[in-house]
Amino acid sequence: MNYRRMQYCARCTYPFVTVNLAIDDEGVCASCRTAEEFDKLTPEFWAHRRAVFEKNVEAMRKDRRSDYDCIIPVSGGKDSYFQTHIMVKEYGLKPLLVTYHGNNYLPEGNYNRDRMREVFDCDHLVMGPSVEVLKKLNRLCFRKMGDMNWHAHCGIFTFPIQMAVKFDINLMVWGEIAWDISGMYEPDDFVEFSARVRHEHGLRGFEWYDMLNDPQEPLKENDLLWAKYPSDDQILKTGVRGLYIGNFFKWDPYKHTQLMKDLYGWKESERPFDRTYRRASNLDDRYENGIHDLLKFVKFGYGRGSDHSSKDVRTGYMTREEAIEMVRKYDHVVSDDLYYWLDYVNMTEEEFWRTADRFRDPRVWWIENGKWYKDNIWGDSSAYGEVHLSLEEQKRYQRG
Ligand SMILES: [Zn+2]
């Protein structure tokens, strides 16, 4: 008999089995409850938060030794623009913009990134690792953890603090707190950037030295200099702190996007994405909305359709019924950046699926007649693609 392995939030579209979420008596997920808490916050609350931010920034400025007031890690996305807008236009500060360039930019992403030093009158440091090293890391991390984009998460979380140490800048200004929504932190925690946040959330518990000694993809220590976190001594000497602007300013992605378009000519993707209806996210990385996210569906049974529609339900832009249609339409789609990537790293599609199948969560997926099956949020279960595993490997996914 069929039994439901996947359970979903009664309010949004998030599954419980695989997303580390708590569910309450009413069947509502912790993310939806956190969003509810945020919704209750008044304008007075945010005015107070803003004052706290200003006090923090002022204190850091008093102690600074650099001629730059702060570092802003930017990809060139709408959030990067918003962070820079606040620091430059509202507070008149002198930031150094820093970017990790993982060689995955979409054309509009390139345009937005390079436009920042025009519209904000800022200095901008862009660091791109060797493309040969990046190709090796794409393949290696795909085989190792089912994530070709590990290098990007590593670079984004490492390069800014390396530059903080190098230029002796004591403040980094980050954007949204991406993981508050999982119910892990509350607004009053005032979570800041830390080595732990980087290691656990950004790098999945892997470090640069875990990438050495792979027989298929030989890499040397000096291929990965950009991936090394500074020492405690260096960080203490600089006294650098990383504040999240999302702790202090009400975060409304739609409003911010519109504002950045109006003020600075920020551009969203001209071409729709295959795996989401949104066009304003992840223009710095063609795979984030594509096969990087497809692998999340392969692993855990949900994708960007669920992520984006759940957020839109929480902010009131969408009903749950509309959100479920987005899940139905987008979560399973094999996006065409797969072929771009296979060509980029010189891998066959057969190897891609054989490797990807090894990461499927047996709590989500089972095998019937050579096909992958999973439960759907709209109430039935259906087949999603061929199985590429040996008979031995398939045993994990037999039902019963
Ligand atoms: Zn929910």
Side-chain angles (χ1 to χ4, degrees):
M1 265 314 283
N2 207 347
Y3 66 93
R4 294 191 66 78
R5 301 174 184 221
M6 299 281 274
Q7 199 190 349
Y8 296 90
C9 173
R11 195 173 290 177
C12 67
T13 57
Y14 261 1
F16 287 109
V17 177
T18 46
V19 183
N20 241 341
L21 275 180
I23 173 173
D24 65 16
D25 295 343
E26 292 168 53
V28 175
C29 78
S31 288
C32 284
R33 289 298 182 207
T34 307
E36 228 171 47
E37 292 304 306
F38 270 92
D39 274 350
K40 286 183 204 148
L41 302 174
T42 59
E44 293 72 43
F45 172 91
W46 288 112
H48 173 70
R49 282 287 160 125
R50 200 180 165 114
V52 173
F53 181 72
E54 286 165 15
K55 229 167 101 181
N56 267 296
V57 171
E58 209 31 59
M60 299 308 281
R61 282 194 82 206
K62 258 192 208 130
D63 286 343
R64 81 195 163 125
R65 287 175 300 275
S66 169
D67 291 328
Y68 290 107
D69 291 312
C70 63
I71 276 186
I72 310 181
V74 297
S75 63
K78 59 192 184 341
D79 297 345
S80 306
Y81 271 60
F82 184 73
Q83 287 152 252
T84 311
H85 167 79
I86 295 284
M87 301 312 284
V88 172
K89 301 290 179 172
E90 300 221 354
Y91 293 123
L93 298 177
K94 171 85 183 171
L96 173 62
L97 307 182
V98 302
T99 297
Y100 171 80
H101 191 317
N103 205 32
N104 295 342
Y105 272 87
L106 290 167
E108 296 86 347
N110 277 325
Y111 172 86
N112 290 331
R113 183 199 62 232
D114 290 343
R115 195 174 162 76
M116 291 195 83
R117 60 193 168 120
E118 292 181 36
V119 296
F120 292 112
D121 186 22
C122 280
D123 301 342
H124 189 177
L125 203 55
V126 181
M127 209 289 298
S130 143
V131 172
E132 209 36 56
V133 167
L134 287 177
K135 287 180 181 177
K136 284 181 186 171
L137 280 175
N138 266 261
R139 287 185 298 256
L140 191 158
C141 294
F142 170 59
R143 294 185 189 119
K144 203 181 185 74
M145 61 189 98
D147 179 3
M148 64 281 293
N149 271 355
W150 180 86
H151 71 90
H153 310 145
C154 179
I156 287 164
F157 281 104
T158 310
F159 184 59
I161 193 160
Q162 281 188 346
M163 292 306 103
V165 164
K166 190 175 178 64
F167 288 96
D168 208 7
I169 300 171
N170 66 357
L171 177 62
M172 292 186 290
V173 177
W174 295 85
E176 188 184 13
I177 320 153
W179 47 89
D180 62 338
I181 210 69
S182 64
M184 196 165 187
Y185 296 109
E186 305 205 342
D188 283 342
D189 291 338
F190 285 102
V191 59
E192 295 190 9
F193 179 86
S194 69
R196 187 181 160 197
V197 160
R198 168 188 170 274
H199 184 72
E200 292 179 5
H201 296 282
L203 278 66
R204 301 180 185 277
F206 291 97
E207 285 293 339
W208 62 269
Y209 42 78
D210 297 311
M211 306 307 153
L212 303 179
N213 307 316
D214 184 279
Q216 256 179 302
E217 310 292 349
L219 285 163
K220 305 181 298 297
E221 183 170 351
N222 71 4
D223 290 328
L224 300 166
L225 299 175
W226 51 273
K228 288 178 153 184
Y229 201 68
S231 70
D232 288 353
D233 284 348
Q234 287 174 309
I235 292 169
L236 287 170
K237 196 167 148 270
T238 307
V240 59
R241 286 170 69 191
L243 302 183
Y244 290 93
I245 232 172
N247 266 326
F248 307 96
F249 294 80
K250 191 174 160 73
W251 206 257
D252 185 333
Y254 282 99
K255 235 188 228 162
H256 292 176
T257 304
Q258 195 52 50
L259 190 65
M260 295 307 113
K261 283 179 184 172
D262 294 347
L263 290 175
Y264 306 112
W266 185 87
K267 280 188 187 170
E268 63 180 24
S269 178
E270 279 173 24
R271 181 176 174 244
F273 288 107
D274 293 343
R275 293 185 46 76
T276 180
Y277 54 94
R278 286 194 188 175
R279 290 200 199 187
S281 305
N282 303 110
L283 308 185
D284 60 320
D285 197 316
R286 59 176 70 241
Y287 309 120
E288 281 291 315
N289 282 331
I291 53 167
H292 172 264
D293 187 63
L294 173 64
L295 285 165
K296 188 169 70 186
F297 178 74
V298 165
K299 289 171 177 169
F300 307 124
Y302 77 104
R304 277 287 194 272
S306 299
D307 286 329
H308 288 165
S309 69
S310 286
K311 284 187 186 176
D312 285 344
V313 168
R314 289 178 204 129
T315 41
Y317 285 101
M318 214 177 252
T319 65
R320 187 167 188 269
E321 286 63 41
E322 288 167 335
I324 289 174
E325 281 317 299
M326 295 300 125
V327 176
R328 195 198 292 270
K329 188 168 173 193
Y330 290 109
D331 266 13
H332 64 285
V333 173
V334 178
S335 46
D336 69 4
D337 60 310
L338 171 61
Y339 303 99
Y340 187 96
W341 186 75
L342 292 174
D343 189 51
Y344 177 55
V345 301
N346 194 20
M347 187 182 285
T348 63
E349 190 172 355
E350 214 286 323
E351 181 181 356
F352 177 85
W353 286 113
R354 195 160 24 88
T355 308
D357 274 359
R358 290 193 354 245
F359 292 99
R360 292 198 191 246
D361 190 322
R363 293 172 301 173
V364 174
W365 297 99
W366 70 90
I367 295 173
E368 266 179 64
N369 306 322
K371 300 250 197 239
W372 289 109
Y373 275 79
K374 78 169 201 75
D375 288 322
N376 300 313
I377 186 170
W378 51 92
D380 58 5
S381 38
S382 37
Y384 292 94
E386 308 282 325
V387 176
H388 292 77
L389 298 178
S390 68
L391 289 175
E392 186 58 30
E393 288 170 310
Q394 290 188 26
K395 281 185 184 156
R396 284 177 77 203
Y397 301 97
Q398 301 306 332
R399 307 175 71 195

